[in-house]
Amino acid sequence: MTQHPPGLARRAVIVHQGGTEQHGEDWLAEETPVELRYNGEAFAVMMATPADLEDFAHGFSLSEGRVARASDIHSVTVHEQLEGYVVDIQASGVLAVDDDSARLMPGRSGCGLCGNRHLEDVLEPMPPRVPDGPVLAPGALERALGALAQRQPLNSCTGAVHAAAWASIEGEILYVREDVGRHNAVDKLLGALSREGADMRSGFVLVTSRASYEVVTKAARLGVGLLAAISAPTALAVELARASNLTLAGFVRPGRHVVYTHPQRLGDGIA
């Protein structure tokens, strides 16, 4: 039997084309409730693609400020249940879950901020300024962009998931994670990097989505110096990137990209 990447489901379909009707099957991306628990206490339920969930647990914990450092996470156990998945994170120094901080509402796959019940929980606290980093080699963004399409097995099958990639300053893609939610893909990528002890100054993140507020927040909180997006950033994302000393590029295309903040890491010579 041919193996397929986790996170895929096969469903019956009827294809109408050119006045004809054909019955068949199609691959679809799974979108499943994933409950995150810290030391046995429920914190959040996110809709996610059930692949790389250990990476997701590490990245979510760090990018949401649940733990201060990767070493605070002692173990991650994934339990598959009828309704979805439970991810039990055993960690020290976990931010206390109380009536003010608990995410008691589920988060949709397209929303990284769902579950926050107060406006101040969304915008505070701001991440610290990221350290200065090396300048990318000429053509690094375009090289990474060209290679990324061949590193997305879930999207190749379904056309329905986002990818977040980590590339070296030369543009070589080293890690890729996919998910139906763009912020989940970023969490999975950041989690994989933190588990490997990667230097967040040694490369950049490329996402196949817009650069939204939560994506910039997650990258900045882990010290990523450069975030590149295939689509546009939001105005709030640009302001956050500027305040966080993060280089933000959007509309990354072959031969073209738009720099919104801190262009010095790209060597474009833009003031």
Side-chain angles (χ1 to χ4, degrees), residues 3-271:
Q3 296 293 318
H4 59 80
L8 291 176
R10 202 163 178 85
R11 297 291 186 268
V13 297
I14 302 174
V15 180
H16 293 263
Q17 183 175 354
T20 65
E21 178 180 292
Q22 182 176 356
H23 291 253
E25 291 185 321
D26 198 8
W27 287 111
L28 302 176
E30 290 190 280
E31 188 175 19
T32 306
V34 177
E35 179 180 321
L36 297 165
R37 296 179 180 175
Y38 290 91
N39 301 325
E41 295 291 332
F43 175 68
V45 178
M46 305 298 293
M47 297 301 295
T49 300
D52 302 307
L53 291 181
E54 290 191 15
D55 290 339
F56 180 49
H58 280 78
F60 181 92
S61 300
L62 291 163
S63 72
E64 292 286 328
R66 300 297 298 160
V67 298
R69 56 191 65 84
S71 60
D72 289 338
I73 300 174
H74 307 309
S75 67
V76 174
T77 307
V78 178
H79 305 279
E80 184 175 4
Q81 299 187 350
L82 180 63
E83 302 85 357
Y85 291 79
V86 173
V87 180
D88 188 13
I89 304 159
Q90 296 294 316
S92 56
V94 178
L95 177 67
V97 177
D98 53 32
D99 289 341
D100 291 327
S101 65
R103 284 191 177 198
L104 301 180
M105 297 165 53
R108 299 187 300 274
S109 60
C111 176
L113 301 177
C114 296
N116 287 301
R117 293 180 296 159
H118 305 291
L119 288 175
E120 58 269 23
D121 293 337
V122 174
L123 297 178
E124 295 292 343
M126 298 292 284
R129 286 174 60 85
V130 300
D132 292 330
V135 176
L136 296 195
L141 284 183
E142 188 165 345
R143 279 193 294 276
L145 178 67
L148 182 54
Q150 308 304 316
R151 299 283 298 272
Q152 300 177 65
L154 290 182
N155 196 59
S156 295
C157 288
T158 68
V161 298
H162 289 293
W166 177 254
S168 70
I169 60 174
E170 290 80 22
E172 177 188 5
I173 290 183
L174 304 176
Y175 296 86
V176 179
R177 293 295 183 268
E178 294 181 280
D179 198 275
V180 291
R182 62 187 180 275
H183 54 90
N184 294 339
V186 171
D187 275 336
K188 288 178 178 181
L189 176 67
L190 296 176
L193 293 172
S194 68
R195 295 176 71 189
E196 291 294 326
D199 180 2
M200 299 296 182
R201 297 175 66 254
S202 66
F204 64 95
V205 171
L206 173 64
V207 295
T208 60
S209 66
R210 69 180 184 272
S212 56
Y213 168 85
E214 70 268 23
V215 170
V216 171
T217 299
K218 289 175 180 296
R221 191 164 281 158
L222 269 76
V224 172
L226 195 156
L227 173 66
I230 289 178
S231 296
T234 65
L236 184 56
V238 170
E239 294 309 310
L240 174 65
R242 191 182 310 280
S244 300
N245 194 37
L246 182 146
T247 299
L248 179 59
F251 293 110
V252 178
R253 299 287 190 275
R256 183 180 186 271
H257 59 269
V258 179
V259 185
Y260 293 87
T261 62
H262 303 289
Q264 68 275 7
R265 293 187 183 90
L266 286 165
D268 291 335
I270 303 172

